[in-house]
Amino acid sequence: MAVYALTGFSLVSLLSFGYLSWDWMKPSLVADVATDPMEKSLPPTFTRPPHIIFILTDDQGYHDIGYHGSDIQTPTLDRLAAEGVKLENYYIQPICTPSRSQLITGRYQIHTGLQHSIIRPRQPNCLPLDQVTLPQKLQEAGYSTHMVGKWHLGFYKKECLPTRRGFDTFLGSLTGNVDYYTYDNCDGPGVCGYDLHEGEDVAWDQSGKYSTFLYAQRVSKILASHSPKEPIFIYVAFQAVHTPLQSPKEYIYRYRSMGNVARRKYAAMVTCMDEAVKNITWALKKYGYYDNSVIVFSTDNGGQTFSGGSNWPLRGRKGTYWEGGVRGIGFVHSPLIKHKRRTSWALVHITDWYPTLVSLARGNLSSVQGLDGYNVWPAISEGKESPRTEILHNIDPLYNHAKYGSLEDGFGIWNTAVQASIRVGEWKLLTGDPGYSDWIPPQTLTNFPGSWWNLERLTDGPRKSVWLFNITADPYERYDLSEQRPDVVRTLLMRLVHYNRTAIPVRYPAENPRAHPDFNGGAWGPWASEDDGEEWEGGREPLKSRNKKKKKCKICKLRSFFRKLNTRLMSNRI
């Protein structure tokens, strides 16, 4: 039986935050159910296909927006959400690549082979080339398509680049995290390179410009040079608020009263991103796009609590299958929404944007087979019931198996040592090792995370590998019902078995030494030709940069120092 230990927070303090008074039981605003989740749902008010702006933020925690009670200032996001539709039953994936791949393909990661971890810079791996992407479908529908920001879907071949996967233009980074000013990225000691690209070329000339501002300025430039009479799709994948924690000083000064340094810098980055969204919205209005536009805002995964983020009052953090890792911030803002200024509790997943946006664009979905997403526009715009009733959070056969899981614990039909999670209706099941499971309040104390008295922890016992929650009644995942409801556990395990039968093999190749930036003029970029296999025989020294000044990674030595320091500290602690 689970044993709860409250340290530093009482029921009174929880009530003071206001979270226990949230109406998580509020049903969706139900009307007629759409008979075909893939049907086009273009309201009569749409005289022409709408302009679509999709904004994705990186590592922004569930708590870290004004209308969720945050101490971080996000006036633009708050206003856009208040005037549109807030999605309070919205799910994403726990880490970067999976969320981005499911947005771009409309498919669960088990159906693209990306069910394990992320695509790392030196892996010969990318979004499968046989997948027809969201921007490609929008191009077919007559849209001009543009991407600004973080790609993180692989780049080892040119065929993997954004400009080969449906985007007319691209300005951004290809890897997972870069310096916000220098655009350096280190994938281990001594493996460092520059990562900012314009189209398929390295954008050396943009170094020194803060990425959040640079990306917002590029969106404005795109809008200024395009005609509002022609439909446009812009995918804005901000690097913010992923580490490293960097922000212009004037934004940090606003939060000088915050005792926790990481939280202070993180808050500054969120507010800076909020102002960038304000500038994008202003450009939509200035250049004549706004009245026929749809703005979608989404986070990509839960916040990283040890880097300033907060998912409170949800359990867990980025990289876990607890609600703090997979429940996202999401809203839609558009003059074209029929029923505005409301909160929707309709079940929505990041895969749903593919069919939803293609339908809004009057695109053709009949040729796309095997989508896992649904057209949820009727649920968003009209308050109808969502066609979605379940979500496969993931099945990862390569993740470290839980020590005490077994096929016997899974009724002989599922090995509970395997990391997996699924939601069906109001029930959520987790097996294997779901990841770090504490509840972490906003990090306002000066010495957090060095001391742990402001955490709330749960001890599940030494042999736990199955959890079951009624997520509607218990959104904070405090009451495990797996022992009380074995019938529900078995039913959901059967759904995992069903999905697992449709999974394709995991794509997670070994790192390739040819990817080293020193072989590519000092920058991260494609290294394999179309004829190259995934295996590469090394044995030669990195090529010297020609015709271009090789960029030095200023932060690599510092990162290496902190890695070694952290290892020593952990060794001493153990």
Side-chain angles (χ1 to χ4, degrees):
M1 182 175 179
V3 178
Y4 295 87
L6 279 172
T7 53
F9 273 82
S10 63
L11 179 62
V12 173
S13 62
L14 287 170
L15 287 171
S16 69
F17 273 100
Y19 292 110
L20 295 187
S21 63
W22 282 12
D23 189 3
W24 289 84
M25 296 292 288
K26 183 178 179 180
S28 303
L29 299 174
V30 179
D32 296 330
V33 180
T35 57
D36 180 3
M38 307 301 288
E39 70 178 357
K40 297 176 183 178
S41 177
L42 203 63
T45 53
F46 282 42
T47 57
R48 60 186 187 276
H51 307 298
I52 301 170
I53 312 298
F54 195 102
I55 300 172
L56 187 71
T57 60
D58 200 341
D59 286 8
Q60 184 178 358
Y62 180 83
H63 179 70
D64 298 326
I65 192 166
Y67 65 82
H68 279 173
S70 178
D71 53 350
I72 298 176
Q73 301 166 21
T74 57
T76 301
L77 299 180
D78 294 343
R79 183 177 67 256
L80 292 175
E83 295 173 355
V85 177
K86 299 174 185 175
L87 305 177
E88 288 300 327
N89 205 5
Y90 175 57
Y91 285 86
I92 48 183
Q93 296 305 114
I95 49 179
C96 302
T97 296
S99 280
R100 293 160 204 275
S101 70
Q102 296 191 53
L103 166 65
I104 293 294
T105 67
R107 288 175 168 81
Y108 291 140
Q109 59 204 90
I110 64 164
H111 295 146
T112 59
L114 300 175
Q115 54 267 57
H116 179 66
S117 190
I118 59 173
I119 296 178
R120 301 192 179 278
R122 287 178 282 174
Q123 284 183 313
N125 194 14
C126 71
L127 189 71
L129 299 177
D130 61 351
Q131 294 291 324
V132 180
T133 66
L134 171 59
Q136 286 173 333
K137 294 304 295 182
L138 293 176
Q139 282 182 331
E140 290 178 10
Y143 275 68
S144 173
T145 59
H146 307 269
M147 181 181 172
V148 180
K150 174 179 169 178
W151 175 238
H152 207 186
L153 289 175
F155 57 88
Y156 81 105
K157 290 184 178 182
K158 284 190 175 181
E159 289 77 12
C160 302
L161 297 175
T163 47
R164 307 289 180 100
R165 305 311 304 271
F167 290 104
D168 297 327
T169 69
F170 169 68
L171 174 67
S173 60
L174 300 174
T175 60
N177 67 297
V178 300
D179 186 282
Y180 281 74
Y181 292 96
T182 67
Y183 300 98
D184 292 329
N185 179 25
C186 292
D187 187 40
V191 187
C192 303
Y194 184 82
D195 183 17
L196 184 65
H197 294 75
E198 174 93 53
E200 298 182 7
D201 298 321
V202 181
W204 299 103
D205 60 318
Q206 301 295 338
S207 179
K209 300 176 182 178
Y210 188 67
S211 73
T212 303
F213 292 154
L214 177 66
Y215 295 155
Q217 290 166 2
R218 175 49 60 94
V219 174
S220 296
K221 184 177 179 180
I222 292 171
L223 294 172
S225 61
H226 187 77
S227 170
K229 295 181 181 179
E230 301 297 328
I232 191 170
F233 169 61
I234 306 180
Y235 171 37
V236 188
F238 282 114
Q239 174 188 354
V241 288
H242 197 290
T243 53
L245 299 179
Q246 296 172 305
S247 172
K249 292 182 179 179
E250 59 268 27
Y251 292 89
I252 298 176
Y253 185 75
R254 300 185 190 185
Y255 296 100
R256 60 192 180 279
S257 62
M258 282 189 177
N260 182 269
V261 175
R263 181 69 174 171
R264 186 189 312 158
K265 293 180 178 179
Y266 175 93
M269 295 166 70
V270 174
T271 296
C272 188
M273 177 272 295
D274 181 84
E275 291 196 9
V277 174
K278 177 181 178 180
N279 292 337
I280 291 172
T281 307
W282 179 83
L284 287 170
K285 294 179 179 180
K286 177 182 178 180
Y287 298 115
Y289 296 87
Y290 177 78
D291 290 341
N292 189 43
S293 69
V294 174
I295 302 172
V296 181
F297 181 89
S298 171
T299 50
D300 71 334
N301 47 245
Q304 180 52 272
T305 52
F306 294 138
S307 298
S310 175
N311 306 302
W312 181 261
L314 303 180
R315 185 178 185 179
R317 65 187 187 197
K318 173 185 178 179
T320 76
Y321 290 95
W322 304 107
E323 291 292 281
V326 298
R327 188 181 284 239
I329 300 172
F331 65 79
V332 180
H333 177 94
S334 173
L336 306 174
I337 294 174
K338 286 188 175 181
H339 302 309
K340 307 179 185 67
R341 299 179 180 276
R342 65 184 182 86
T343 297
S344 171
W345 296 90
L347 187 62
V348 178
H349 184 250
I350 196 167
T351 54
D352 297 331
W353 296 120
Y354 186 114
T356 300
L357 299 181
V358 173
S359 295
L360 283 178
R362 302 181 185 178
N364 180 14
L365 285 167
S366 62
S367 61
V368 184
Q369 302 298 320
L371 288 181
D372 293 307
Y374 295 84
N375 178 7
V376 292
W377 185 254
I380 293 170
S381 178
E382 304 170 45
K384 292 185 177 182
E385 186 176 17
S386 173
R388 176 176 290 281
T389 59
E390 65 183 49
I391 296 172
L392 176 67
H393 292 302
N394 195 27
I395 300 171
D396 186 349
L398 297 189
Y399 193 81
N400 296 333
H401 284 199
K403 185 176 181 180
Y404 297 104
S406 67
L407 190 62
E408 181 181 0
D409 290 341
F411 298 95
I413 59 175
W414 183 262
N415 182 356
T416 63
V418 175
Q419 186 191 63
S421 182
I422 189 171
R423 173 172 171 172
V424 178
E426 61 187 8
W427 295 102
K428 178 181 177 182
L429 179 78
L430 304 98
T431 69
D433 178 4
Y436 188 87
S437 63
D438 286 347
W439 294 267
I440 305 176
Q443 299 94 310
T444 57
L445 299 184
T446 303
N447 52 2
F448 184 92
S451 298
W452 297 96
W453 55 75
N454 56 331
L455 299 187
E456 182 180 347
R457 287 185 160 179
L458 176 148
T459 303
D460 284 312
R463 298 179 180 273
K464 194 71 180 167
S465 64
V466 179
W467 295 261
L468 177 71
F469 301 96
N470 183 323
I471 212 66
T472 304
D474 178 26
Y476 312 141
E477 297 170 299
R478 294 178 178 276
Y479 307 105
D480 176 20
L481 301 177
S482 59
E483 294 184 8
Q484 293 93 319
R485 296 299 305 269
D487 57 321
V488 178
V489 171
R490 184 183 180 88
T491 298
L492 268 62
L493 288 176
M494 288 298 296
R495 292 304 295 161
L496 285 178
V497 171
H498 162 75
Y499 279 112
N500 199 45
R501 288 172 179 161
T502 71
I504 69 173
V506 178
R507 299 166 55 95
Y508 198 72
E511 293 182 343
N512 190 316
R514 191 175 179 181
H516 197 299
D518 284 356
F519 285 102
N520 300 286
W524 293 102
W527 71 87
S529 69
E530 189 174 358
D531 298 328
D532 284 342
E534 291 190 348
E535 297 299 324
W536 178 78
E537 296 296 332
R540 58 193 176 99
E541 291 299 317
L543 300 176
K544 298 298 182 180
S545 174
R546 298 177 182 176
N547 301 325
K548 288 188 177 180
K549 182 180 180 182
K550 180 179 174 181
K551 292 282 181 174
K552 294 183 178 179
C553 182
K554 299 178 181 178
I555 60 175
C556 296
K557 292 183 178 179
L558 187 61
R559 287 181 177 174
S560 177
F561 168 77
F562 279 112
R563 285 193 188 97
K564 293 178 181 178
L565 178 62
N566 184 59
T567 301
R568 292 178 181 176
L569 290 174
M570 292 302 295
S571 299
N572 292 336
R573 183 176 297 180
I574 292 171

